[in-house]
């Protein structure tokens, strides 16, 4: 999995192409053995040597600004059948596990955040191909606001918002992203996820299980609504 339009980072002299090569090969070795991800990759990657070199080129370009990568992975991922957010979450979990084991803190500090944004972008793009990928952006008529949450920052986001939870019956929430970016997940079958960035807003319906995850430092706030005569 890789992004077609990420922003290359500032080169870190402590990071080499060989560091990136070792990370990519180690990580995808684990991916191929993973019971969830392995079958997906093995069904669509026909030449692993070539695929791994493409991934090394991609991450070398992204991290070190090194020339040599060209490609458009977004359309390729969008054509893959039967993906869910669980695949992307597992990919991220394995990636973070691998970078933590490499003992290369400079590389880990750069690529962990990049991987989170890549996964979020790919999943958003993937869902846009589905005909039912419509999200409610405006509060329905007849509702009135009655409470607004504090401004929650990425480093002080309550644990309750990061795990599956619901808004009580009869209440609606309007989530506004004031900075950074986050992934909003509907914890239904199959899960539905959307990437929200600074300035975006999303309506959360009553009693629908969901959770949020920041992928770029920022803040959010929620205004709650109910029927005007409630």
């Amino acid at each position: 999995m890789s992004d077609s339009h990420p922003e290359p980072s500032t080169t870190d002299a402590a990071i080499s192409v060989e560091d990136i090569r070792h990370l990519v090969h180690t990580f995808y070795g684990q991916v191929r053995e993973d019971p969830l991800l392995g079958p997906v990759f093995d069904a669509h990657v026909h030449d692993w040597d070539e695929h791994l070199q493409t991934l090394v080129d991609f991450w070398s370009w992204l991290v070190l600004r090194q020339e040599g990568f060209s490609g458009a992975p977004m359309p390729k991922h969008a054509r893959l059948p039967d993906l869910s957010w669980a695949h992307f979450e597992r990919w991220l979990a394995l990636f973070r596990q691998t970078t933590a084991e490499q003992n290369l803190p400079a590389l880990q500090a750069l690529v962990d955040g990049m991987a989170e944004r890549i996964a979020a972008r790919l999943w958003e793009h993937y869902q846009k191909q589905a005909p039912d990928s419509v999200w409610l952006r405006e509060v329905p008529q007849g509702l009135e606001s009655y409470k607004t949450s504090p401004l929650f920052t990425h480093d002080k986001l309550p644990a309750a918002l990061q795990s599956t939870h619901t808004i009580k019956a009869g209440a609606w929430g309007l989530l506004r992203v004031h900075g950074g970016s986050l992934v909003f997940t509907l914890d239904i079958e199959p899960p539905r996820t959307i990437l929200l960035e600074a300035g975006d807003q999303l309506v959360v319906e009553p009693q629908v299980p969901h959770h949020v995850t920041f992928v770029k430092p920022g803040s959010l706030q929620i205004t709650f609504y109910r029927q005007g005569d409630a």
Side-chain angles (χ1 to χ4, degrees):
M1 296 181 181
S2 54
D3 195 353
S4 58
H5 299 290
E7 296 181 1
S9 71
T10 301
T11 300
D12 191 314
I15 301 171
S16 69
V17 174
E18 286 308 310
D19 293 333
I20 294 172
R21 185 183 308 279
H22 186 259
L23 171 62
V24 167
H25 281 253
T26 302
F27 171 57
Y28 280 95
Q30 296 188 50
V31 165
R32 296 183 70 180
E33 295 178 359
D34 186 76
L36 179 63
L37 299 179
V40 176
F41 279 86
D42 284 337
H44 296 91
V45 177
H46 305 297
D47 186 334
W48 268 101
D49 290 339
E50 179 182 357
H51 190 63
L52 287 170
Q53 184 57 53
T54 298
L55 291 165
V56 171
D57 291 343
F58 168 75
W59 283 101
S60 297
W61 167 70
L62 190 62
V63 175
L64 301 176
R65 300 180 183 270
Q66 180 169 302
E67 298 295 329
F69 173 76
S70 61
M74 281 287 189
K76 294 179 181 178
H77 285 83
R79 290 194 295 268
L80 295 179
D82 302 323
L83 291 185
S84 71
W85 177 240
H87 290 91
F88 290 85
E89 284 186 311
R90 181 59 181 159
W91 184 85
L92 279 173
L94 280 179
F95 191 89
R96 288 191 291 263
Q97 175 184 316
T98 305
T99 59
E101 294 171 350
Q102 296 301 298
N103 195 28
L104 294 170
L107 179 60
Q108 180 183 7
L110 279 174
V111 299
D112 277 3
M114 292 175 178
E116 290 173 354
R117 292 188 290 274
I118 287 168
R121 285 290 191 187
L122 283 171
W123 179 238
E124 180 188 33
H125 186 78
Y126 184 79
Q127 287 200 300
K128 284 180 179 178
Q129 312 309 307
D132 63 343
S133 58
V134 178
W135 296 85
L136 191 59
R137 301 287 187 159
E138 299 293 337
V139 176
Q141 293 184 354
L143 300 181
E144 296 182 359
S145 63
Y146 68 93
K147 181 175 67 174
T148 298
S149 75
L151 185 68
F152 297 124
T153 58
H154 65 280
D155 54 341
K156 294 183 179 179
L157 185 65
L161 297 184
Q162 300 179 59
S163 58
T164 301
H165 65 286
T166 63
I167 296 177
K168 66 182 181 180
W172 298 66
L174 181 63
L175 186 155
R176 294 186 176 92
V177 181
H178 292 287
S181 59
L182 59 85
V183 171
F184 178 95
T185 301
L186 288 177
D187 294 308
I188 58 179
E189 286 298 330
R192 295 179 61 197
T193 307
I194 187 171
L195 179 69
L196 300 175
E197 300 186 290
D200 288 343
Q201 66 180 38
L202 186 71
V203 173
V204 186
E205 299 182 52
Q207 297 184 293
V208 175
H210 63 279
H211 71 275
V212 299
T213 306
F214 273 101
V215 294
K216 185 177 180 181
S219 59
L220 67 84
Q221 196 165 31
I222 307 166
T223 300
F224 295 94
Y225 292 77
R226 61 190 174 195
Q227 289 292 336
D229 57 357

